Amino acid sequence: MPPSNDATQAIGRPSNPGGAQAMTEKITIRLRTPSRLRNIELGLLFVACGICAGAMILVQLGAIGHIETGILWSGVLILVLALVMHIVLRVVASQADPFVLPIGLTLNGLGIAEIYRIDIPTWTTSTPTHAGERQIYWTIGAMVIAIIVLLGIRNYRVLARYRYIAMFTSIVLLLLPLVPGLGREGLNARVWIDLGPFSFQPGEIAKITLAIFFAGYLVQARDSLSLMGPKILGLQFPRPRDLGPILVIWAVAMLVLIFERDLGTSLLYFGLFLVMIYVATGKASWVLIGLVLFVGGAIVASLSLSYVHGRFAAWLTPFDSSVYNAYGGSYQLVTGLFGFANGGLIGTGLGQGSPQTTPLAQSDYIIASLGEELGLAGLVAILGLYLLLVSRGFRIAFVGQDDFGKLLGVGLSFAIALQVFVVMGGVTRVIPLTGLTMPFLAAGGSSLLSNWIIVALILRLSDGIRSGPRMVIG
């Protein structure tokens, strides 16, 4: 009789009495794993809700001296939706990663608490504006869309079929702000469109559709991009005709920068494609070409575009009086740096700082506001949550079996990572300010919607990977 292998021992007839017990244990572990993951998620959700509720209560006690229950009851709706999403995951994605949803909820809740706090000085006795409540309503809408994505996309691999539709959708979304009568210019950038009483930033959704297109395209074109081309100084460079995709993306990024005056979004699109093409091909030459194009484009833009030149001047000489007092100068950057300094190591305490003195403290500078009231220790904890979220996304991507899932997971996770780096680098003067928003924390429905869709897609990816044949745990 031929010797049995591990697979036979796991699923076939046991060759000894102890084999039956081993097989039973393996099957039991396989059946219990999904419920164990969801139980971990449920426990972490309650921890996340406790952190968010505690932050809101501390904000109220520190800023107004008493607790207003109205906004706390509004926040309960988010908890209910989080539990609904948890139940949906138990049914349609039982083996999804248990950490992604609680991390997103925690970051979102901290952002709501700080937005509510920043808005308090603008209240009047009769008409408080309650920007925190508006952020809660945006969060509810974004989480509902995320649940619809989970229910509607049962197999993420089908997205690869619609890569060219995703490309066309991305182009339309990028061009919408330039349509007369639809696009709206604000704060020197034309990135918004008006939809009745609401405003929306289509570029936030475009980063998701671009990631889907890049993943689908690179799976097909990977061999020609990585195996063919001349070698120069030990690096294999692509053929001139294969340079087309990166040149097109570079051109799109430059057009967004020129016509929409959106430095952050153009950087995000170009960086997203550069990382995904490197992961797909493993060729350092693509990174070198991309860096040359990016540095060259940045230099030309800084010399020829007043908008970009102003950002560089504010970055290099923020304390110069001519730059500090100029329209769109370094006042915002310097005020944010003073906020960080005021926060110190442990912060002034939630509700006890002065974050509202910084322009756009609720959106572009939400991280500086949190840095003042939570201090360096609080910022490290927040960045730790982002690091864990991105690492879970990368882990999901790299343990997957299919190339499309790997590339999509890397693209979605890197989009969050790059935004965090660009925002943190801008407000701390490591790099020039770009105008991107901090994922989950900053005010605005467009950003929340796109980031919760990313969460839903990462959860779907993790379930698809864990549900594969390799999930026999012994």
Side-chain angles (χ1 to χ4, degrees):
M1 182 176 65
S4 60
N5 53 31
D6 291 340
T8 304
Q9 291 291 340
I11 63 176
R13 184 181 298 277
S15 59
N16 56 73
Q21 182 179 359
M23 180 180 68
T24 303
E25 290 177 354
K26 285 180 179 290
I27 294 175
T28 301
I29 293 174
R30 167 182 267 183
L31 293 176
R32 288 180 179 176
T33 297
S35 61
R36 181 174 64 87
L37 294 174
R38 301 278 64 79
N39 291 339
I40 292 173
E41 180 182 75
L42 181 60
L44 291 175
L45 282 177
F46 283 111
V47 172
C49 291
I51 293 174
C52 298
M56 182 62 74
I57 291 173
L58 288 175
V59 160
Q60 292 183 343
L61 292 177
I64 59 179
H66 63 274
I67 298 176
E68 288 192 352
T69 58
I71 193 167
L72 294 178
W73 282 112
S74 299
V76 170
L77 295 175
I78 296 179
L79 170 60
V80 172
L81 273 178
L83 294 177
V84 170
M85 188 178 295
H86 168 76
I87 295 171
V88 169
L89 288 172
R90 283 187 179 268
V91 176
V92 303
S94 60
Q95 300 193 63
D97 191 282
F99 298 99
V100 174
L101 177 57
I103 293 173
L105 184 64
T106 302
L107 291 170
N108 201 162
L110 289 175
I112 291 172
E114 189 62 21
I115 291 168
Y116 176 86
R117 185 267 169 276
I118 296 169
D119 192 51
I120 288 176
T122 66
W123 290 3
T124 63
T125 304
S126 58
T127 58
T129 56
H130 289 311
E133 287 190 353
R134 290 198 298 270
Q135 189 74 352
I136 288 176
Y137 299 144
W138 279 118
T139 301
I140 292 171
M143 293 181 71
V144 169
I145 297 298
I147 293 173
I148 293 174
V149 170
L150 283 171
L151 293 172
I153 302 176
R154 296 300 182 94
N155 184 354
Y156 66 86
R157 295 173 183 87
V158 301
L159 295 175
R161 304 175 187 173
Y162 306 106
R163 55 189 176 275
Y164 292 112
I165 295 178
M167 178 190 69
F168 176 76
T169 303
S170 302
I171 294 174
V172 171
L173 289 172
L174 291 176
L175 294 178
L176 280 178
L178 300 177
V179 176
L182 183 63
R184 176 174 60 85
E185 183 173 345
L187 301 174
N188 296 320
R190 192 179 181 89
V191 296
W192 298 89
I193 60 174
D194 289 326
L195 300 174
F198 302 103
S199 295
F200 189 76
Q201 190 172 350
E204 288 286 344
I205 304 300
K207 67 185 179 185
I208 301 174
T209 55
L210 279 173
I212 294 172
F213 165 65
F214 292 157
Y217 168 78
L218 291 173
V219 167
Q220 282 195 329
R222 178 179 56 184
D223 292 340
S224 62
L225 293 172
S226 60
L227 301 178
M228 301 177 184
K231 280 192 175 183
I232 302 175
L233 298 177
L235 292 176
Q236 185 172 20
F237 285 83
R239 297 175 299 180
R241 66 182 181 183
D242 292 329
L243 281 173
I246 195 170
L247 292 176
V248 169
I249 298 302
W250 178 78
V252 169
M254 290 300 103
L255 289 175
V256 170
L257 177 61
I258 293 171
F259 291 105
E260 298 184 8
R261 299 196 294 276
D262 190 2
L263 178 61
T265 300
S266 61
L267 173 61
L268 177 62
Y269 295 159
F270 188 72
L272 177 63
F273 181 70
L274 190 62
V275 166
M276 292 182 69
I277 198 171
Y278 172 72
V279 173
T281 63
K283 297 297 181 182
S285 57
W286 282 107
V287 178
L288 180 61
I289 294 172
L291 290 177
V292 170
L293 288 173
F294 173 74
V295 172
I299 293 174
V300 172
S302 65
L303 296 176
S304 58
L305 300 177
S306 59
Y307 162 75
V308 180
H309 177 74
R311 291 294 178 97
F312 273 84
W315 172 50
L316 296 173
T317 57
F319 298 100
D320 185 278
S321 59
S322 61
V323 176
Y324 179 81
N325 294 314
Y327 175 75
S330 61
Y331 174 79
Q332 182 189 38
L333 174 61
V334 172
T335 308
L337 292 175
F338 286 153
F340 281 124
N342 189 39
L345 181 62
I346 60 174
T348 60
L350 286 171
Q352 301 185 49
S354 301
Q356 70 278 1
T357 58
T358 302
L360 300 177
Q362 297 172 328
S363 53
D364 291 11
Y365 263 69
I366 187 72
I367 199 68
S369 304
L370 287 166
E372 180 178 357
E373 299 201 333
L374 296 179
L376 179 62
L379 283 186
V380 169
I382 291 174
L383 291 178
L385 290 175
Y386 281 117
L387 180 62
L388 182 57
L389 176 61
V390 173
S391 67
R392 300 305 292 184
F394 282 161
R395 178 182 179 277
I396 291 166
F398 285 114
V399 301
Q401 295 295 302
D402 67 296
D403 293 332
F404 176 76
K406 284 185 177 183
L407 289 173
L408 184 58
V410 167
L412 295 175
S413 303
F414 180 77
I416 294 178
L418 183 59
Q419 279 192 250
V420 172
F421 168 75
V422 168
V423 174
M424 282 296 301
V427 299
T428 56
R429 204 182 153 223
V430 174
I431 60 175
L433 285 169
T434 60
L436 287 177
T437 56
M438 203 67 167
F440 296 104
L441 291 177
S446 308
S447 179
L448 277 179
L449 177 60
S450 65
N451 289 310
W452 274 108
I453 291 176
I454 289 175
V455 164
L457 291 175
I458 290 177
L459 289 169
R460 176 55 66 195
L461 284 169
S462 64
D463 177 69
I465 290 168
R466 289 175 180 269
S467 300
R470 299 183 301 108
M471 279 306 294
V472 178
I473 303 173

